Amino acid sequence: MEPTYGNGSFAFCWRPHYLFSQIERFDVVTVRFTGKNVMLLKRVIALPGEVLEFRQGILYINGKQIQEPYVQYRTPWDLAPRKIKPGHVYVVGDNRGTSMSRHRFGQVNINRIIGGVIP
Amino acid sequence: MNKKILLVLILIAATAAVFLFPSDEKKIRNNLDSLAEYCSSASKETAIAALKKVALAGKLCSDPCMIQIESFDIHRDFKKKELTDHILMMKKMLPDTHFTFHDTTINFPLDNRAELATTLRLTGKIDTDRFTEAYELSITADKIDGDWLFSSFSVVEFMEQ
């Protein structure tokens, strides 16, 4: 999640964040990776029903280019259009300086979103 | 005095029962810990030691054993020989790798079947780079001739590109 969250830095998962609010695009969330304690820190970039695409590293949602000011370094990711399933969101890390194959991203069930992140 | 002796005897008997007659859940957890130990390999592990451990790991699994890893397009039964060959190959490829299972929950939908959800943690070294990987696993264990054997392993893929 660099540069937003540096390697070795601290952040807190705010579990009640989505008790009274909906997940929105660009929210940074904790995703339950495995068991009770292993989490991923990712950013939500697409919501249920939307069509997501990457062209040369640029994000497109429903065919429209989306600005991502939090991304500092960009490698030319190409990902064919895909529709986000109901009850799912698409999460990606901010560190786009690595190749797609080395990055863990994709659509996840909203039930796997544990909470928001502080700070 | 008689009551005290009786109480101590009851406590000793209860403690002995716990250790001599472990529950099914305890047996399965012990098997899982053993599996992790047998699959782990030290950097200076001899070929004979590796073969022994692999054979012991094979004995903890049923024949055949279902393996499902969607990201590698694996979804089929493995015969015991094939399974142990793959474990041995993996030990050779990753000679300094440590396996551990964490956060294991066990349910018994049937008397002779257990369903486990667990986290597999791999730590090791490839060339000079250290690595740590974690995977969520769904494991099924069946009671066959009184022994709990692992009959299927499935990597839970929760993120779809």
Side-chain angles (χ1 to χ4, degrees):
Chain A
M1 276 295 282
E2 291 200 6
T4 318
Y5 294 92
N7 198 20
S9 62
F10 278 102
F12 292 94
C13 169
W14 179 238
R15 285 178 182 254
H17 189 104
Y18 296 113
L19 278 179
F20 305 108
S21 62
Q22 300 287 325
I23 295 175
E24 291 176 5
R25 192 185 327 282
F26 303 139
D27 280 358
V28 177
V29 295
T30 43
V31 183
R32 189 179 75 81
F33 183 35
T34 175
K36 294 178 224 168
N37 302 315
V38 185
M39 304 282 172
L40 290 175
L41 199 63
K42 294 287 177 190
R43 190 182 297 272
V44 175
I45 58 167
L47 302 171
E50 292 180 341
V51 176
L52 169 142
E53 186 187 353
F54 274 103
R55 291 182 222 157
Q56 291 292 295
I58 307 293
L59 171 66
Y60 289 80
I61 300 289
N62 297 334
K64 290 183 190 161
Q65 184 175 333
I66 304 290
Q67 298 299 325
E68 294 188 280
Y70 44 80
V71 175
Q72 209 169 67
Y73 307 108
R74 221 180 276 271
T75 43
W77 290 10
D78 284 309
L79 195 71
R82 58 227 34 226
K83 191 168 182 176
I84 313 307
K85 293 188 273 198
H88 288 65
V89 291
Y90 209 94
V91 296
V92 187
D94 289 352
N95 185 5
R96 312 281 175 81
T98 57
S99 68
M100 266 173 61
S101 59
R102 295 191 64 182
H103 199 111
R104 226 188 273 263
F105 67 97
Q107 51 181 306
V108 298
N109 193 306
I110 284 173
N111 292 335
R112 282 233 175 213
I113 307 286
I114 301 300
V117 178
I118 298 172
Chain B
M1 191 64 180
N2 283 339
K3 276 186 186 172
K4 276 188 185 174
I5 292 170
L6 191 61
L7 191 61
V8 168
L9 283 172
I10 289 170
L11 276 171
I12 291 170
T15 309
V18 166
F19 282 104
L20 293 175
F21 302 103
S23 63
D24 283 338
E25 185 173 327
K26 186 96 176 97
K27 286 179 189 172
I28 293 169
R29 285 184 189 275
N30 287 343
N31 280 357
L32 203 59
D33 289 340
S34 298
L35 185 66
E37 188 194 326
Y38 301 146
C39 289
S40 301
S41 36
S43 53
K44 291 189 176 151
E45 189 175 74
T46 62
I48 292 188
L51 279 168
K52 277 185 185 172
K53 283 167 97 174
V54 162
L56 288 168
K59 283 184 180 173
L60 292 173
C61 301
S62 65
D63 188 9
C65 181
M66 161 74 99
I67 307 288
Q68 185 176 347
I69 310 173
E70 294 293 345
S71 55
F72 286 97
D73 253 335
I74 296 172
H75 187 167
R76 63 180 179 88
D77 283 332
F78 280 70
K79 300 288 278 175
K80 191 166 279 191
K81 174 89 176 57
E82 202 182 356
L83 187 67
T84 51
D85 285 348
H86 276 83
I87 297 173
L88 194 61
M89 192 168 63
M90 183 190 63
K91 278 163 119 18
K92 279 184 97 175
M93 278 168 55
L94 304 170
D96 192 10
T97 305
H98 196 57
F99 282 66
T100 47
F101 290 103
H102 302 273
D103 287 342
T104 304
T105 56
I106 303 176
N107 292 313
F108 294 89
L110 299 167
D111 285 344
N112 291 340
R113 171 155 284 199
E115 285 170 357
L116 293 73
T118 187
T119 298
L120 167 64
R121 193 181 179 100
L122 295 175
T123 53
K125 210 190 311 187
I126 296 177
D127 295 327
T128 53
D129 296 324
R130 293 218 68 87
F131 70 89
T132 302
E133 289 286 344
Y135 300 94
E136 185 169 334
L137 296 187
S138 255
I139 303 173
T140 307
D142 290 319
K143 197 167 189 175
I144 302 168
D145 296 331
D147 292 324
W148 283 99
L149 301 178
F150 300 115
S151 54
S152 77
F153 294 85
S154 176
V155 176
V156 175
E157 310 269 6
F158 67 94
M159 199 175 266
E160 185 189 326
Q161 273 193 16

